[in-house]
């Protein structure tokens, strides 16, 4: 039976694809967005309207009936007019994680991809393998999958498939992972990001415990420990060179556009694999994806053939372009693990790095100050330069006791070059001054769509 859904903040990277999946099931979609009211990203809202979505101002005027299901982001604020209107009209209010987990749990077969880093890439790899295998998966990802993006689908962070197979990235940072009951649970790695280790162990332990099959990384101490707590027949493990793992990668060979490696299956054949996404971390991501599709019966040789044409995820070490010998790369890295993976991958090749890192808040800087300093200082080379604007600050009572200068001075104290500047534009000017042929500029940060615009502008100025 068709329902009427109203998405509050429908332009958001997590909301828009979910709205499209819900619409594909035969439901009617309406929505509102502050960005639309402020005149930002008009193309996105024109695309939504062209695809049959009715848009309203975010002033409560679109929510008038008790039979509407109003979908809000994780935090339901009564101060948002649409939520107030929903309460007044007696409409049902659901959070995005509630709705997504309901759709996920309703599918007879599901793959949930969790972990501190790598989720979007692993989800994208699984999506592409299953799509190529003709399995018609419905996929919810947190980032745009380049394989599925085209003129008609510019916001390809979801794939609309059948209702029988649902693949989703699953988030532990808001605790919503507790809602998912996957057939196959993938955990890439577990490290400190938003919650304490005890909370994380409980959340990930519950997630894998509820699954029929768990796919776990033996190279990460926490996920390796998790594997020990489950019955052996429920576990598929993967690792780079750890012989006891179910799936193993050996002979990693970095190439300018990607990686080559040899895949071995425990007690099985060796498969040469070529990836067109760079870095050892993407080999680990590929193994996680292979473990997941193997659990659904996709043959390994068919799966590895699909991986060779996997073109990546937007803003995951995405090369924006090269101008006058300087290459600009746009990257989502925002916590110490992801930053480390990116720097290691880039240092497999020659050239100085000019790193712009925009923190996505004061909270993470305070929580992980020493990890940020050690990460940059340990992985930067002598001639690399780190440039940091102040964190994005949206107002409120945030503790701002640790700022970008604290990180930069710590990196300088360790003998590496780092500068904190008041604004991102000032950092951009400094990069244009510093850049010379052979350099690679990397724009790092999360939760800010304008970083990609900034990266493209930098390329134009260079």
């Amino acid at each position: 039976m068709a329902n009427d859904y109203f998405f509050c903040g429908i332009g958001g990277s997590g909301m828009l694809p979910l709205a499209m999946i819900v619409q594909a099931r035969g439901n009617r979609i309406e929505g509102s967005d502050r960005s639309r009211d402020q005149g930002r990203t008009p193309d996105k809202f024109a695309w939504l309207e062209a695809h049959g979505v009715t848009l309203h101002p975010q002033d409560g005027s679109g929510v008038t009936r008790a039979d509407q299901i109003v979908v809000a982001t994780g935090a339901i604020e009564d101060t948002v007019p649409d939520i107030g209107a929903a309460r007044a009209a007696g409409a049902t209010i659901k959070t995005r994680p509630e709705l997504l987990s309901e759709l996920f749990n309703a599918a007879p077969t599901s793959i949930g991809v969790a972990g501190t880093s790598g989720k979007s890439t692993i989800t994208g790899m699984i999506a592409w393998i299953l799509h190529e295998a003709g399995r018609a998966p419905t996929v919810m990802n947190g980032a745009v999958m380049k394989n599925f993006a085209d003129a008609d689908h510019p916001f390809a962070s979801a794939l609309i498939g059948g209702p029988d197979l649902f693949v989703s990235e699953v988030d532990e940072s808001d605790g919503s992972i507790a809602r998912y009951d996957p057939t196959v649970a993938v955990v890439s790695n577990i490290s400190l990001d938003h919650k304490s280790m005890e909370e994380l162990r409980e959340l990930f332990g519950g997630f894998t415990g509820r699954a029929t099959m768990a796919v776990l990384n033996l190279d990460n101490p926490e996920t390796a420990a998790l594997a020990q707590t489950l019955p052996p027949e429920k576990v598929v493990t993967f690792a780079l060179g750890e012989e006891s793992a179910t799936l193993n990668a050996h002979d990693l060979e970095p190439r300018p556009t990607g990686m080559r490696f040899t895949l071995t299956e425990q007690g099985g054949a060796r498969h040469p694999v070529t990836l067109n996404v760079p870095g050892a971390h993407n080999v680990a991501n590929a193994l996680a994806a292979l473990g997941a599709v193997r659990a659904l019966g996709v043959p390994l040789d068919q799966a590895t053939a699909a991986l060779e044409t996997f073109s990546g995820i937007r803003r995951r070490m995405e090369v924006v372009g090269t101008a006058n010998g300087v290459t600009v790369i746009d990257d989502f890295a925002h916590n110490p693990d992801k930053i480390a993976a990116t720097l290691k991958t880039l240092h497999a090749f020659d050239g100085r790095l000019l790193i712009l890192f925009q923190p996505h808040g004061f909270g993470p800087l305070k929580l992980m100050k020493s990890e940020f300093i050690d990460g940059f200082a340990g992985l930067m080379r002598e001639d690399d330069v780190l440039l940091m604007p102040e964190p994005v600050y949206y107002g409120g009572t945030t503790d701002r006791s640790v700022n970008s200068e604290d990180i930069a001075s710590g990196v300088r104290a360790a003998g590496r070059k780092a500068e904190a500047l008041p604004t991102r534009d000032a950092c951009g000017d400094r990069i244009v001054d510093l850049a010379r042929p052979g350099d690679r500029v990397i724009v790092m940060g999360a939760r800010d769509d304008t970083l990609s615009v900034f990266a493209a502008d930098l390329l134009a100025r260079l």
Side-chain angles (χ1 to χ4, degrees), residues 293-310:
V293 299
R294 181 180 177 271
L296 299 190
V298 177
L300 269 183
D301 52 356
Q302 190 182 357
T304 54
L307 275 179
E308 297 195 7
T309 56
F310 173 72

Side-chain angles (χ1 to χ4, degrees), residues 176-234:
S176 63
I177 184 171
R179 297 180 175 276
Y180 291 80
D181 302 321
T183 311
V184 181
V186 180
V187 183
S188 57
N189 44 55
I190 303 173
S191 65
L192 229 44
D193 193 6
H194 300 280
K195 284 189 162 18
S196 75
M197 223 44 194
E198 288 67 35
E199 286 177 284
L200 291 175
R201 285 177 189 138
E202 194 176 316
L203 288 168
F204 285 113
F207 177 65
T208 51
R210 293 188 300 275
T212 308
M213 183 68 77
V215 180
L216 299 168
N217 179 6
L218 287 191
D219 290 330
N220 175 266
E222 288 291 334
T223 40
L226 194 53
Q228 296 297 313
T229 66
L230 295 162
E233 66 277 7
K234 266 189 71 162

Side-chain angles (χ1 to χ4, degrees), residues 298-338:
V298 177
L300 269 183
D301 52 356
Q302 190 182 357
T304 54
L307 275 179
E308 297 195 7
T309 56
F310 173 72
S311 53
I313 301 289
R314 199 156 290 157
R315 293 213 64 226
R316 301 304 188 270
M317 295 200 52
E318 184 176 19
V319 174
V320 184
T322 301
N324 291 317
V326 180
T327 300
V328 177
I329 298 160
D330 189 16
D331 191 58
F332 169 80
H334 60 284
N335 66 28
D337 274 11
K338 293 187 170 87

Side-chain angles (χ1 to χ4, degrees), residues 120-273:
S120 300
T121 300
I122 295 165
T123 304
M125 287 173 164
I126 292 169
W128 186 238
I129 295 167
L130 292 174
H131 173 77
E132 290 287 271
R135 301 286 283 268
T138 290
V139 183
M140 179 72 207
N141 202 335
V144 173
M145 300 176 277
K146 295 207 265 190
N147 285 93
F148 300 110
D150 57 31
D152 292 337
H153 306 92
F155 312 108
S157 44
L159 179 64
I160 313 286
D164 296 339
L165 175 54
F166 203 113
V167 182
S168 182
E169 185 178 319
V170 174
D171 194 5
E172 83 291 342
S173 67
D174 60 4
S176 63
I177 184 171
R179 297 180 175 276
Y180 291 80
D181 302 321
T183 311
V184 181
V186 180
V187 183
S188 57
N189 44 55
I190 303 173
S191 65
L192 229 44
D193 193 6
H194 300 280
K195 284 189 162 18
S196 75
M197 223 44 194
E198 288 67 35
E199 286 177 284
L200 291 175
R201 285 177 189 138
E202 194 176 316
L203 288 168
F204 285 113
F207 177 65
T208 51
R210 293 188 300 275
T212 308
M213 183 68 77
V215 180
L216 299 168
N217 179 6
L218 287 191
D219 290 330
N220 175 266
E222 288 291 334
T223 40
L226 194 53
Q228 296 297 313
T229 66
L230 295 162
E233 66 277 7
K234 266 189 71 162
V235 180
V236 172
T237 56
F238 64 91
L240 307 184
E242 167 62 55
E243 294 307 327
S244 62
T246 319
L247 296 173
N248 240 302
H250 300 273
D251 313 324
L252 272 64
E253 181 196 332
R255 313 179 67 213
T257 56
M259 289 294 277
R260 257 199 199 133
F261 65 96
T262 303
L263 170 71
T264 53
E265 191 176 11
Q266 209 173 28
R270 295 164 73 82
H271 305 258
V273 183

